[in-house]
Amino acid sequence: MSRTTETTETTETTETTETTETTETTGSSISTRAPRSAQGSSVGQNSPAPTSRPSAKAAAGFAALAAIGPATWGTTYVTTTELLPPDRPLLAAALRALPAGLILLALTRRLPSGDWWWKAAVLGLLNFGAFFPLLFFGAYHLPGGVASTISAVMPLLVAGFGIGVLKVRPTRRTLIAGLVGVAGVALLVLRGSATVDLAGIAAMLTATTLMALAVVLSKRWGRPEGVSLLALTGWQLTAGGLVLAPIALTAEGLPDHFTGANLAGYTYLGIIGTALAYALWFRGIERLPASSVSFLGLANPVVATLAGLVVLGQTLTVWQVAGLVLVLSSVVLGQGRRRTSRA
């Protein structure tokens, strides 16, 4: 064999290995290689994420930190019903997003450049501008445990969007875990004793779909080189808040006065439940496979259900308890070890 032929084979092997490693890092848990073109030029140019997947210990740490976000979101429902002014989902969304975004912009002193102006706007609309109003509408119209547990369908949505956007296929384990989560949702919603508002369910399903798309796009686009996660979070929050603020003031207006409880609720949601929670969530998206992150989102219904039991004195039927067990089981299945493909 000639030296030229050996060099060509070595180059091809290196390219195949790089493609496999990148696919494992950026996609849902997969068992086949994705073509090089599916990676997207923006990922390679902008994202500072490592080219190899993290160790098991490091992945567990990233997952634990990322789960703090959904856990704090689980308190959104009890905070909304107990502390915020009634029937103002748009105002709640705007006051949750815009102040937090402006604070992060002031701290990081960094603005987008190039195509990140429109990318930040798109992600801001999906994560906050459209997601937040739907979330608060669901919180006003559904019991907290039911509202948040609808997010169990997100792993299946992420898997579906991943096929089209990331060009990767989910494993059978991921699909089974997603179906188990959906079964848990069905038991919680359809067999519960609480009155279920269909408009609230529709709002939460739409919100979950938008968030799933945002997860996949965030994985696709990565993060601009040299830009911190706090800056990227601030861009998105500000973009979403600027869309929401004029709509909220026009459609709902401000209440006659804000009580101390109202201010405490808005402050908690803006600082803890948004600025901090989303920075940790985006960190998880950057470092972990999209499918693993989507299953971590199920910490949301667990916390929301516990908050409803402890704070609001809600009760669960036997069927709802079974549904909650299924949801937790789907989280465990969704965090299974990923197989490593070798060239």
Side-chain angles (χ1 to χ4, degrees):
M1 181 181 293
S2 66
R3 183 176 185 85
T4 302
T5 303
E6 291 175 349
T7 303
T8 302
E9 289 178 348
T10 301
T11 302
E12 291 175 348
T13 301
T14 302
E15 291 179 348
T16 302
T17 303
E18 291 176 351
T19 301
T20 302
E21 291 177 348
T22 304
T23 300
E24 290 173 349
T25 303
T26 59
S28 302
S29 300
I30 58 174
S31 57
T32 59
R33 302 186 184 96
R36 175 176 290 273
S37 60
Q39 297 173 19
S41 59
S42 61
V43 174
Q45 295 173 356
N46 295 328
S47 178
T51 56
S52 60
R53 66 178 182 173
S55 65
K57 183 176 180 180
F62 292 138
L65 289 175
I68 293 176
T72 60
W73 301 335
T75 63
T76 297
Y77 309 96
V78 66
T79 302
T80 299
T81 56
E82 298 301 298
L83 298 179
L84 301 189
D87 300 323
R88 279 185 165 84
L90 290 172
L91 180 63
L95 291 180
R96 182 179 178 182
L98 187 55
L102 294 176
I103 290 173
L104 291 181
L105 286 183
L107 291 175
T108 59
R109 299 181 181 181
R110 185 72 179 266
L111 292 176
S113 61
D115 58 0
W116 270 99
W117 281 103
W118 68 264
K119 288 180 179 179
V122 170
L123 293 175
L125 182 63
L126 293 174
N127 278 318
F128 307 111
F131 175 76
F132 273 0
L134 293 168
L135 175 70
F136 281 109
F137 184 88
Y140 280 121
H141 289 80
L142 294 172
V146 174
S148 62
T149 309
I150 292 175
S151 63
V153 301
M154 190 169 75
L156 292 178
L157 294 171
V158 168
F161 286 132
I163 294 174
V165 177
L166 300 176
K167 307 301 182 184
V168 295
R169 293 180 295 176
T171 62
R172 182 178 302 176
R173 184 189 187 101
T174 298
L175 294 177
I176 292 175
L179 292 174
V180 170
V182 172
V185 170
L187 289 177
L188 273 165
V189 173
L190 300 180
R191 300 304 298 265
S193 58
T195 301
V196 176
D197 186 290
L198 293 180
I201 292 177
M204 288 304 302
L205 284 174
T206 304
T208 303
T209 302
L210 296 178
M211 191 172 193
L213 179 58
V215 167
V216 175
L217 288 178
S218 295
K219 199 69 178 175
R220 170 76 176 186
W221 292 337
R223 175 160 51 102
E225 184 177 355
V227 174
S228 68
L229 279 168
L230 287 180
L232 181 60
T233 304
W235 297 350
Q236 297 182 46
L237 282 168
T238 303
L242 289 175
V243 172
L244 286 169
I247 299 175
L249 292 176
T250 302
E252 295 177 352
L254 297 174
D256 295 335
H257 67 282
F258 289 103
T259 66
N262 296 158
L263 295 177
Y266 286 127
T267 300
Y268 169 76
L269 290 177
I271 302 301
I272 304 299
T274 302
L276 175 62
Y278 273 94
L280 295 174
W281 176 251
F282 293 151
R283 177 76 167 179
I285 292 175
E286 181 178 87
R287 297 289 180 172
L288 299 171
S291 62
S292 296
V293 176
S294 65
F295 281 102
L296 290 176
L298 299 183
N300 186 334
V302 174
V303 173
T305 300
L306 293 176
L309 294 173
V310 174
V311 179
L312 302 179
Q314 296 174 346
T315 59
L316 296 177
T317 66
V318 174
W319 288 106
Q320 287 176 305
V321 172
L324 187 58
V325 170
L326 287 178
V327 169
L328 293 174
S329 298
S330 72
V331 176
V332 175
L333 286 173
Q335 297 302 311
R337 180 180 296 180
R338 304 186 302 279
R339 291 180 294 179
T340 302
S341 300
R342 295 186 181 277

